[in-house]
Amino acid sequence: MKRSDVTPGHSPRPLKTHITAALKTHFAAALKAPLAAALVGFGAMQAQADTLWEIYLQALDNDPQLAADRAAYHAGLEAKNLGRSALLPQIQGTAEASKVRSDTDRVQSQFNDDGTILVIPTTTKSDTDDRTYSVRLDQAIFDLPAWFGYKQGKKISEQAAAEFSANQQEMMLRVSVAYFDVLRAYDVLEAAIAEEEALAKQLEQTQQRFEVGLTAITDVYDSRAAYENAVARRLTAQDDLLSNFDALSVLTGGHHDSVAPLGGDFAVVAPEPIERSAWVDFALANNFDLKASRLAADAAGYSARAAAAEHLPTLTGSLNYQKYHSDGDLEIDSQTIPIDTTQETRIAAITLQVPIYTGGRLSASRREARNLAFQAEDLSNLVERDTVQNTRTLHRAVVTDVSRVEARQQAVISAKSALEATQAGYEVGTRNIVDVLLAQRTLAQSRTDFANALYDYIQNTLDLKRAAGLLAPDDLQSLERELNPATPVYRVAEAVMVAPPTK
C-alpha cells in the first residue's frame, strides 16, 4: 500500500486556501482572514526545506541532552582507570627547604669536691639552612579489595559505553518524533482547513436556500455551528504545527521554517523478519538498556566481593629514599663552629596490615554491598522482562499498523464517496443538513486518522528497532530517501483575532 493511494483528488502541498471567489456573502470576509493568517507568504520562507537527515546532523552537534550524555559517557570511561590505579605503583616525591635559627641560654650546676655548687652558664646560637629530598614507592602485593575494585571499574566503563549507545539511539528517536510530529500536525491542519472550507461553502449554500425559502432556519444554525467548530479545530491544529516546529529548535538550537514531507510512493510494509520470536532474540542479545543493566549488576557484584575482601590482610612493598643536608653555623659561648651535614637514608620494607576490629564498619559495608548487588540483579531481571514485553508489544503494533493504515486509507475513500452521495441526496430532499454535516466531519476525521496511523507506523517501526538494539543512522537515511523536498511543509503564521460573522 502506498501513500499516494490515500486521497484521490486531494490538494497537493503546500497548503493553499481553497475558498473560491463564489463566497460573496458576508461569510466570505470572516473566512478569508483567518485562513490567510494560517499561511506565511512563500517569499518569506527559506528556499531549501530541512530534511530528516539534516535535522539529525544538526542535533548531533547541538542537542543539549546528547551533549550531557556524551559527558557522562566520558566520565564513566574513567572508572576503569580509577580502579586500575590502586594496583599500579604509587610514587611520591617531596622536597623541603627550611631556614632554622635558634637561641638557647642554659645554666648547668654541679657539686664540687668541697661541697660547693658550681654554676656554669652556657649560651648557644645556631643558624642553618636545611634541605630534605625524598622519594617513596609503594606497590600493592596482595590487595583483593583493590583487585575487585579494578574489575568493578571495568564493568562501570563498559556500562557507560552501553548507556551512551542507548542514548544515541534515543536521540535518533527524539529527532524522528519531532520531525514526523511536524508532518503529522501538518496533515491534521490540512484536513482541518479542507473541512473548514467545505463547511463554509455548505453554510453559504444553506443561507442562500433559506433566503429563498427552500430550508428552515435550523439548517442555517446547524451549518453555522459545524463551521465554527471546524474553525476551532483548525486553530488548534495550527497551534500544534507551530509547537512541533519549535520542538525541532530544542534539538538543533536553530530556527526551522520548512521541512520535507513524505513522498507519494511511501510504502507501508510488515517488519522483517516477521517472526516475533526473532525480534525478541535480537532484543535479548542487542538491547543496550539491557546490556547496561547487566553490566551494572556485574559491577555491583564486584563491589560486594571487594567489600567482603576488606576483612582480609593486605601486603604492600615500599622503597623509600631520603637525603638531608644542613649548612650553617653553631655558636657556643662566642665560639663559632661551622655546620655541614649530609645524611642519606634508604628503606626497603614489606608491610602486612590485618584489620582486627573497625567498630563494625567492615561488616556493615559488606552487608550493604551485598544487598546492593541483589538489588542490581533484580533490576536487571526487571529490565530483561520489560525488554521482552516491549519488543513483543511493538512488533504486534507494527504488524497491526500495516493493516490499520490500509484500513484508514479505505476509510478516507469511503468517507469521500459517502459525502458526495449525501450531498446529492440533500439536493433532492432525501437527506437533511445534519446528514451532510456529519459526512463532512467523518471525512475530516478519516483524513486525520489516516495521518495518525501512518506516522504511528513509522514511529513504532523505529521504536521496535530501538528495542531490538538494531536502530542505526542508516534507518534515518532510509526514511530520508522517502522524503520529497520539492513540496515542503511550511511553518504557519500565528493566529489573529477576527470578528465573528454577523447574523
Side-chain angles (χ1 to χ4, degrees):
M1 193 277 297
K2 295 184 178 180
R3 178 178 170 83
S4 58
D5 302 329
V6 176
T7 52
H10 192 52
S11 59
R13 290 178 173 81
L15 285 173
K16 297 180 180 178
T17 302
H18 298 294
I19 298 179
T20 64
L23 295 179
K24 297 180 181 179
T25 66
H26 55 274
F27 297 108
L31 282 171
K32 290 181 180 179
L35 288 178
L39 306 178
V40 173
F42 294 129
M45 293 298 176
Q46 59 188 37
Q48 180 64 38
D50 294 318
T51 64
L52 177 62
W53 185 249
E54 291 171 351
I55 297 293
Y56 171 69
L57 293 179
Q58 293 177 41
L60 282 178
D61 295 329
N62 300 289
D63 179 34
Q65 182 60 58
L66 183 64
D69 295 335
R70 186 181 294 111
Y73 161 66
H74 288 298
L77 291 181
E78 300 303 325
K80 176 181 178 181
N81 297 328
L82 290 172
R84 182 175 54 193
S85 64
L87 300 175
L88 299 178
Q90 311 294 307
I91 302 175
Q92 182 177 358
T94 60
E96 179 180 346
S98 60
K99 187 175 184 64
V100 182
R101 292 180 180 177
S102 65
D103 295 320
T104 305
D105 293 325
R106 183 170 54 184
V107 177
Q108 292 180 336
S109 301
Q110 67 182 34
F111 289 95
N112 295 324
D113 294 339
D114 58 2
T116 60
I117 299 175
L118 178 63
V119 178
I120 305 174
T122 304
T123 300
T124 303
K125 297 181 179 180
S126 66
D127 186 357
T128 60
D129 293 324
D130 297 342
R131 301 289 186 270
T132 303
Y133 308 94
S134 66
V135 177
R136 181 183 178 90
L137 181 146
D138 294 291
Q139 172 63 58
I141 299 174
F142 179 79
D143 191 342
L144 275 183
W147 171 253
F148 289 129
Y150 166 64
K151 301 289 284 185
Q152 178 189 8
K154 285 183 63 178
K155 293 300 180 182
I156 292 176
S157 294
E158 292 174 7
Q159 177 189 352
E163 288 177 345
F164 187 53
S165 296
N167 293 334
Q168 289 176 303
Q169 289 187 332
E170 193 64 31
M171 194 273 286
M172 296 179 205
L173 290 182
R174 285 188 283 111
V175 169
S176 66
V177 167
Y179 189 90
F180 288 109
D181 276 355
V182 171
L183 300 185
R184 183 196 301 262
Y186 182 90
D187 285 350
V188 172
L189 176 59
E190 196 174 44
I193 289 181
E195 180 187 21
E196 182 181 0
E197 294 171 349
L199 290 175
K201 183 177 181 179
Q202 186 66 51
L203 177 57
E204 180 193 19
Q205 293 174 349
T206 304
Q207 178 71 25
Q208 292 173 350
R209 289 170 64 88
F210 169 72
E211 291 173 354
V212 297
L214 296 179
T215 188
I217 189 63
T218 54
D219 288 352
V220 177
Y221 292 154
D222 288 337
S223 298
R224 185 191 299 275
Y227 164 71
E228 297 296 349
N229 285 329
V231 171
R233 284 189 290 271
R234 189 261 302 164
L235 290 173
T236 299
Q238 177 178 322
D239 288 344
D240 289 343
L241 180 58
L242 287 171
S243 297
N244 288 321
F245 263 110
D246 291 340
L248 291 177
S249 300
V250 174
L251 293 170
T252 65
H255 185 75
H256 304 279
D257 284 328
S258 62
V259 296
L262 285 173
D265 57 350
F266 179 76
V268 177
V269 296
E272 179 62 34
I274 193 62
E275 295 83 6
R276 190 168 303 152
S277 59
W279 286 93
V280 172
D281 292 339
F282 290 153
L284 291 175
N286 301 291
N287 182 277
F288 288 107
D289 290 325
L290 181 55
K291 287 182 178 180
S293 69
R294 289 170 174 170
L295 291 167
D298 292 342
Y302 282 119
S303 177
R305 297 180 69 179
E310 291 285 351
H311 290 279
L312 301 177
T314 59
L315 190 63
T316 305
S318 61
L319 296 174
N320 188 15
Y321 170 78
Q322 184 181 74
K323 182 177 181 180
Y324 170 77
H325 178 72
S326 180
D327 183 16
D329 297 314
L330 175 62
E331 182 180 339
I332 302 176
D333 294 335
S334 301
Q335 293 183 0
T336 302
I337 302 173
I339 297 176
D340 188 0
T341 303
T342 300
Q343 178 182 356
E344 292 187 4
T345 304
R346 296 175 176 85
I347 301 174
I350 295 180
T351 304
L352 177 67
Q353 290 183 328
V354 181
I356 298 175
Y357 181 68
T358 60
R361 178 182 61 84
L362 293 183
S363 296
S365 177
R366 184 190 72 248
R367 292 191 297 269
E368 177 191 36
R370 181 182 60 190
N371 284 285
L372 289 176
F374 291 157
Q375 179 194 37
E377 186 67 29
D378 291 336
L379 291 176
S380 178
N381 292 335
L382 177 60
V383 172
E384 180 175 337
R385 295 180 185 181
D386 286 343
T387 300
V388 172
Q389 189 269 343
N390 191 37
T391 303
R392 289 173 177 170
T393 300
L394 288 171
H395 182 273
R396 187 181 301 110
V398 174
V399 173
T400 302
D401 285 340
V402 174
S403 300
R404 191 160 65 98
V405 170
E406 184 176 358
R408 293 299 187 190
Q409 171 204 0
Q410 295 300 323
V412 172
I413 298 173
S414 298
K416 190 173 185 299
S417 299
L419 174 60
E420 294 172 351
T422 303
Q423 287 175 329
Y426 177 68
E427 295 295 331
V428 298
T430 60
R431 306 297 292 269
N432 58 37
I433 190 61
V434 175
D435 295 331
V436 176
L437 297 177
L438 181 60
Q440 292 279 10
R441 178 85 280 272
T442 300
L443 177 58
Q445 187 61 49
S446 297
R447 288 171 174 168
T448 298
D449 291 342
F450 172 76
N452 288 328
L454 180 64
Y455 296 116
D456 286 346
Y457 162 79
I458 294 174
Q459 202 56 50
N460 285 335
T461 300
L462 295 177
D463 287 340
L464 176 60
K465 292 183 177 182
R466 162 74 168 85
L470 304 178
L471 184 62
D474 289 345
D475 296 304
L476 299 186
Q477 288 184 320
S478 296
L479 288 172
E480 172 87 0
R481 290 190 287 270
E482 299 291 343
L483 302 179
N484 184 12
T487 57
V489 168
Y490 291 109
R491 175 189 288 268
V492 297
E494 300 286 345
V496 296
M497 295 296 296
V498 179
T502 58
K503 295 184 179 180

